[in-house]
Amino acid sequence: MKVTFSIIKADVGGWPGHSLVHPRLIETAEKEMEKAKKKGIIRDFHVTHVGDDLELIMTHTKGTDNKQIHELAWKTFEKATEVAKELKLYGAGQDLLSDAFSGNIKGMGPGVAEMEFEERKGEPVIAFMMDKTEPGAFNLPIYRMFADPFNTPGLVIDPSMHRGFTFEIWDIMEHKKVFMNTPEETYDILALIGAKSRFVIKRVYSRNSDKFAKDEPVAVVSTEKLYQIAGEYVGKDDPVAVVRAQSGLPALGEVLEPWAFPHLVSGWMRGSHNGPIMPVGIKNAKCTRFDGPPRVAALGFQVANGTLGMPADLFDDPAWDYTRNKAQDIAEYMRRHGPFEPHRLPLEDMEYTTLPGIMKELGPRFQKL
Ligand code: F6R
Ligand code: MG
Ligand code: MG
């Protein structure tokens, strides 16, 4: 059967500040999802949070960009916003940038990652959810999963992966996309995606067409840029991704392996700092130190006849303690830079800036060199 796996997420109020989602918002969302499941709109759901982002994970058979599914998510966020307002949660409704739903939730504030695929005999799917960073934070780990043989030995030794993968890369500044192949275009791909605030991996496809249809994605990342949608700072984009694993795709352990390196991502305090991404279980997905450090959680599902079954909290495991300790060392090291780059982002990437005001004030005092 064809199944659609959708994650739609939004920050509709933090508790306290920008650190966490209040349990009542999760309950509210669960109630709405349960109703939709009873009505047959979705097959299954799991509601969770990472940091201050409310995450709706759904399976259904309506395909991507479906109006009914997007409307369900929007209405759910509206209901949660009502509760957030009642509890006076911080920034209640902050990611709902529009007053009314108009057919597709994209461009309205929430982040979306969805893909439709033919459910295999065994279908492991991993939902990755980040807080306090931007979509480009996925570039390095997704690249390593699908293109780096030092991460994924399957690329070398599994004949069903040997032909490589196609990367769909978006230029989120110029609003263009390009499809590029590994392994032969590796250097050009890296030239783009190394510039992670501009070029982001949107989808990955298998090139082993006997196993996967050419147009069937095996990974997808949310690429909504809140700053661009709203035209002003309204919080970072806090991206999510869906990755399928095994049997011609990276094994679960190859999908998780890139996260052993807590690479530097942009976001953290005020969306304006570089810091390490720290893999955590959901119980530790709270952004406390300096509003972070940026976190990533991973829930694994074994999709069965369009249902999710129980999630496995993959980073809730001592195997990631070393990485978490390393992330904290890096956090400490970066913090010592205070307001200096490269901890603070370069001017053009900062979400807040007082510089134009300072320059205006200082204008008359500046002398020619
Ligand atoms: C970053 C983030 C927080 C806020 C910070 C200031 O994405 O959400 O670090 O930027 O807490 O928030 P305001 O301006 O709402 O006081
Ligand atoms: Mg927030
Ligand atoms: Mg957030």
Side-chain angles (χ1 to χ4, degrees):
M1 67 175 289
K2 271 209 164 187
V3 54
T4 312
F5 193 106
S6 302
I7 312 183
I8 307 186
K9 47 101 3 199
D11 175 350
V12 293
W15 166 71
H18 289 281
S19 64
L20 264 165
V21 171
H22 193 284
R24 273 199 55 204
L25 299 197
I26 296 190
E27 275 163 34
T28 307
E30 277 171 343
K31 265 190 211 138
E32 294 306 302
M33 292 280 116
E34 192 58 57
K35 276 192 247 163
K37 186 174 167 180
K38 285 217 172 90
K39 283 191 204 148
I41 299 170
I42 50 175
R43 299 280 287 223
D44 209 354
F45 69 88
H46 181 73
V47 179
T48 189
H49 80 95
V50 170
D52 59 2
D53 292 295
L54 180 59
E55 317 271 355
L56 312 177
I57 303 174
M58 298 171 276
T59 45
H60 54 93
T61 52
K62 299 187 185 310
T64 58
D65 287 319
N66 178 270
K67 184 173 177 217
Q68 221 184 348
I69 300 296
H70 284 209
E71 189 164 27
L72 167 64
W74 184 261
K75 292 255 153 78
T76 302
F77 291 138
E78 279 185 336
K79 278 266 156 62
T81 299
E82 282 170 27
V83 178
K85 285 189 171 149
E86 184 192 309
L87 298 175
K88 278 190 74 181
L89 297 183
Y90 193 70
Q94 76 161 39
D95 282 0
L96 305 189
L97 302 179
S98 174
D99 293 332
F101 181 75
S102 63
N104 191 309
I105 206 162
K106 283 186 196 156
M108 299 180 74
V112 185
E114 10 180 40
M115 61 181 165
E116 187 183 31
F117 51 84
E118 192 60 46
E119 190 183 300
R120 296 172 293 167
K121 203 164 79 196
E123 188 62 71
V125 180
I126 302 102
F128 288 103
M129 297 157 285
M130 291 179 172
D131 190 33
K132 302 295 182 277
T133 185
E134 57 175 12
F138 273 108
N139 283 3
L140 185 152
I142 297 275
Y143 174 83
R144 296 199 67 199
M145 287 169 208
F146 290 97
D148 179 1
F150 281 77
N151 180 85
T152 301
L155 294 166
V156 180
I157 63 182
D158 178 352
S160 62
M161 286 175 72
H162 205 70
R163 270 174 276 168
F165 291 89
T166 300
F167 285 71
E168 177 183 335
I169 297 167
W170 284 18
D171 177 341
I172 50 180
M173 304 284 177
E174 300 268 318
H175 303 280
K176 289 185 203 153
K177 65 178 173 187
V178 60
F179 292 85
M180 299 174 81
N181 291 327
T182 56
E184 63 271 29
E185 292 184 293
T186 299
Y187 297 165
D188 291 344
I189 289 175
L190 288 170
L192 298 185
I193 64 172
K196 60 184 173 39
S197 62
R198 172 160 175 188
F199 296 100
V200 297
I201 299 170
K202 179 65 190 179
R203 292 185 189 85
V204 180
Y205 306 86
S206 169
R207 295 174 76 192
N208 299 277
S209 49
D210 44 326
K211 282 225 158 203
F212 299 91
K214 223 176 159 315
D215 57 352
E216 185 182 287
V218 296
V220 62
V221 181
S222 70
T223 48
E224 283 69 26
K225 269 279 207 185
L226 281 182
Y227 175 76
Q228 287 195 325
I229 298 167
E232 60 177 334
Y233 180 78
V234 282
K236 268 281 177 207
D237 321 297
D238 304 336
V240 290
V242 185
V243 179
R244 298 166 68 197
Q246 306 284 160
S247 303
L249 300 177
L252 178 71
E254 290 167 335
V255 169
L256 297 179
E257 181 61 12
W259 307 96
F261 171 54
H263 65 291
L264 291 175
V265 299
S266 306
W268 207 352
M269 174 57 78
R270 297 179 183 274
S272 303
H273 293 82
N274 282 313
I277 184 99
M278 184 160 88
V280 289
I282 298 291
K283 69 175 191 295
N284 292 320
K286 39 181 129 175
C287 290
T288 49
R289 182 173 183 191
F290 200 54
D291 284 1
R295 315 252 164 157
V296 58
L299 291 185
F301 298 92
Q302 195 63 38
V303 174
N305 305 315
T307 63
L308 288 167
M310 250 172 53
D313 190 349
L314 298 167
F315 291 140
D316 181 16
D317 176 344
W320 304 96
D321 284 350
Y322 177 82
T323 305
R324 286 190 274 265
N325 288 338
K326 177 67 92 194
Q328 294 185 56
D329 279 346
I330 299 167
E332 181 60 28
Y333 173 83
M334 294 302 282
R335 278 302 301 126
R336 297 270 204 102
H337 293 79
F340 284 79
E341 297 176 13
H343 180 30
R344 205 211 66 196
L345 296 185
L347 286 175
E348 61 277 17
D349 291 336
M350 271 182 13
E351 302 285 13
Y352 287 68
T353 179
T354 43
L355 195 77
I358 294 173
M359 290 306 276
K360 200 168 160 216
E361 284 271 298
L362 287 179
R365 288 169 53 192
F366 265 104
Q367 303 171 19
K368 261 211 154 70
L369 294 179

